[in-house]
Amino acid sequence: VYAADHIRKIIDHIMGKELIEPCAETVFEHTRTFEGDYSDVVGQEEAKRAIVIAAAGGHNLLMVGPPGSGKSMLAKRLPSILPPLTYEEALECTKIYSVLGKLDEENPLITARPFRSPHHTMSATALVGGSSNPRPGEISMAHNGVLFMDELPELFVEIMQQFNMNIVVGNNKLKFDDSKLMSKPKLREIKWTLDGYENLKYNENVK
């Protein structure tokens, strides 16, 4: 890889006037730091078993239980048992966060799987992305990672329709002015939670 801070240097390199030294090869190292570790969880054996199966197979998961039963706590610890990002996956995630200007200047390469937990009052644009100045939404930001949708019944119908269209169809259409951008988000996991509403049966543990 040859890096130049000015196009004149590139021309001089091609013409053989002043050669650019190749960049030193960097080793791809994973960042294994998490908000919570799966090994911290005591009890909740059925829920933990479901999470392990979902993590191993890349399945979606719906957790139902009363407030305070541990749904969010379990979801936040899911990334700690997911396989590390490959170099190609890390580049894909880095491109998305680079567009948003959310990269760390000291460590610009994202090496940990994203975990996104948007609030249930978000707009459809915040979830899907787009607007007049097209930006990736929460779906895209969770690419190769986990999208945690808390308080599922509180989401507006419009948001659920947009979410269903983009996830099931597999195309994330970002509309702005008279044009469209299209991306294909790939989520490792989608986690939903429901609090104990009257029309749902539940016990004291998370299902």
Side-chain angles (χ1 to χ4, degrees):
V1 177
Y2 295 86
D5 55 7
H6 195 279
I7 192 171
R8 186 72 231 176
K9 292 185 178 181
I10 298 177
I11 296 174
D12 290 342
H13 178 81
I14 296 175
M15 298 296 292
K17 295 180 179 179
E18 184 178 352
L19 299 180
I20 302 174
E21 294 295 328
C23 297
E25 184 177 353
T26 58
V27 179
F28 177 59
E29 297 181 354
H30 295 96
T31 301
R32 303 294 289 176
T33 56
F34 308 100
E35 183 177 346
D37 195 277
Y38 184 78
S39 61
D40 297 335
V41 183
V42 178
Q44 302 281 22
E45 297 303 328
E46 292 183 2
K48 287 164 64 177
R49 175 62 176 165
I51 288 178
V52 169
I53 294 173
H59 307 302
N60 301 328
L61 182 64
L62 172 65
M63 294 188 287
V64 182
S69 57
K71 302 183 297 296
S72 299
M73 179 271 294
L74 288 166
K76 290 178 180 179
R77 282 160 174 74
L78 173 64
S80 66
I81 60 173
L82 291 176
L85 286 172
T86 64
Y87 183 67
E88 290 73 19
E89 289 176 332
L91 290 179
E92 292 173 359
C93 295
T94 302
K95 290 177 183 177
I96 295 172
Y97 282 77
S98 175
V99 171
L100 293 168
K102 292 182 176 293
L103 293 179
D104 187 351
E105 293 183 0
E106 296 182 358
N107 300 293
L109 182 64
I110 293 179
T111 58
R113 292 193 180 276
F115 178 87
R116 302 298 302 175
S117 180
H119 197 267
H120 63 266
T121 59
M122 66 181 167
S123 65
T125 301
L127 176 67
V128 179
S131 76
S132 58
N133 182 22
R135 292 168 59 86
E138 292 290 342
I139 294 177
S140 298
M141 293 176 69
H143 181 66
N144 287 326
V146 179
L147 179 61
F148 177 48
M149 307 286 286
D150 201 4
E151 304 291 351
L152 178 60
E154 300 296 333
L155 293 175
F156 294 113
V157 175
E158 177 189 1
I159 294 179
M160 292 305 301
Q161 290 174 343
Q162 289 285 340
F163 184 86
N164 183 68
M165 179 181 67
N166 286 279
I167 295 301
V168 175
V169 176
N171 289 328
N172 192 12
K173 297 179 180 179
L174 308 182
K175 298 181 180 179
F176 62 103
D177 297 335
D178 297 326
S179 305
K180 292 181 180 179
L181 291 178
M182 183 174 291
S183 62
K184 294 186 177 181
K186 180 178 64 177
L187 304 182
R188 178 76 189 184
E189 309 281 345
I190 304 175
K191 295 289 171 286
W192 313 83
T193 65
L194 295 171
D195 281 337
Y197 287 83
E198 294 180 358
N199 60 332
L200 296 174
K201 296 181 180 179
Y202 58 86
N203 56 28
E204 294 182 353
N205 293 323
V206 178
K207 293 183 180 180

